[in-house]
Amino acid sequence: FAAGGEGKARGPAGDGKGADGYDLFKAKYQMGINKRSQRLYGCSAQANCVSVSAQKNPSQFIAPWDYTVTTNDAGAAWKLLKGTIGDDPSLKIVDVDDAALYLRAEGTSKIPKGGVDDVEFLFVPEEKIVTIRSGSRDNQFVYPYQQPIPDGGYQKERMDGIRKKLGWVELNYAGNGMYSDNSSGPNTRGGETMTDAEYLQEYGDMPRASKFRLPW
């Protein structure tokens, strides 16, 4: 899965003129499973992208998903994910590895218009989570500005929409290298959020999300 590309960045005023006076150039991107870490790749600093591996940039970080709210069976969760992505008319599955529990789909970018987004999922069955990434391959500039045009959080919105269809929840990232309990996740009782101490007293164990540490 080391496939991917890196276009030559000519700068915001490069010679890759797009429609409507915009300048286009390839964002630095990598897709697939990182052979060194066996995780998904992060995001380049200027890309419209979110990833579980983008811990150094909070605006690009997205937490992994917990599928145990619907099933403890990784195989059943994997089948549900493939079916959900396959039924999504905005996405096209282009790479599936059933052994590695990895899936990549392509979608249409919001910015730049008509561009390609890579949407990736990698299960970590021993931790009962799904790691995720969604990013555009291209950046778009308006001369003379030096920052690319943002997509208004479109990548995060896409992933949140898929997660809600699946009925899964995020592991809430507390910002200190720890994942903690989440009021919308499994650390609840009767719709009320439980503290870790209350959860431990009632169930004899800590919430799953409180056990995990970065990185993914």
Side-chain angles (χ1 to χ4, degrees), residues 1 32-34 38-40 52 64 78 81 97 100-103 120-125 129-133 216:
F1 299 112
I33 301 174
N34 186 318
Q38 294 302 304
R39 304 294 192 186
L40 296 178
V52 295
W78 172 241
L81 176 70
D97 187 330
L101 299 179
Y102 169 83
L103 183 149
E120 299 177 278
F121 307 87
L122 176 64
F123 277 60
V124 186
I129 61 170
V130 184
T131 59
I132 55 178
R133 181 183 180 277
W216 297 113

Side-chain angles (χ1 to χ4, degrees), residues 15-178:
D15 56 5
K17 231 21 163 179
D20 303 321
Y22 290 117
D23 289 303
L24 303 176
F25 72 92
K26 291 289 184 183
K28 181 181 179 182
Y29 72 94
Q30 293 172 296
M31 56 190 173
I33 301 174
N34 186 318
K35 291 182 177 179
R36 180 180 59 83
S37 67
Q38 294 302 304
R39 304 294 192 186
L40 296 178
Y41 285 97
C43 302
S44 67
Q46 292 187 322
N48 287 315
C49 172
V50 292
S51 172
V52 295
S53 300
Q55 298 95 6
K56 294 182 179 180
N57 190 338
S59 67
Q60 294 179 318
F61 177 79
I62 189 168
W65 296 346
D66 178 359
Y67 58 78
T68 63
V69 293
T70 60
T71 179
N72 284 311
D73 184 346
W78 172 241
K79 183 178 180 180
L80 177 61
L81 176 70
K82 289 195 294 182
T84 300
I85 301 303
D87 290 340
D88 189 330
S90 70
L91 296 173
K92 177 183 178 182
I93 296 175
V94 293
D95 196 353
V96 175
D97 187 330
D98 289 314
L101 299 179
Y102 169 83
L103 183 149
R104 180 171 67 88
E106 292 180 352
T108 302
S109 304
K110 181 177 181 180
I111 300 293
K113 186 176 181 181
V116 177
D117 290 345
D118 292 296
V119 184
E120 299 177 278
F121 307 87
L122 176 64
F123 277 60
V124 186
E126 62 271 21
E127 295 170 358
K128 297 186 182 297
I129 61 170
V130 184
T131 59
I132 55 178
R133 181 183 180 277
S134 178
S136 178
R137 297 182 188 177
D138 298 291
N139 286 338
Q140 186 173 36
F141 294 84
V142 178
Y143 183 81
Y145 299 106
Q146 301 298 306
Q147 293 296 320
I149 302 171
D151 64 5
Y154 178 71
Q155 306 294 338
K156 178 70 162 57
E157 290 176 5
R158 167 194 281 137
M159 301 310 276
D160 285 345
I162 295 171
R163 176 178 53 79
K164 290 175 182 178
K165 288 180 183 178
L166 291 162
W168 299 345
V169 296
E170 285 187 329
L171 287 177
N172 188 40
Y173 178 51
N176 59 354
M178 287 286 294

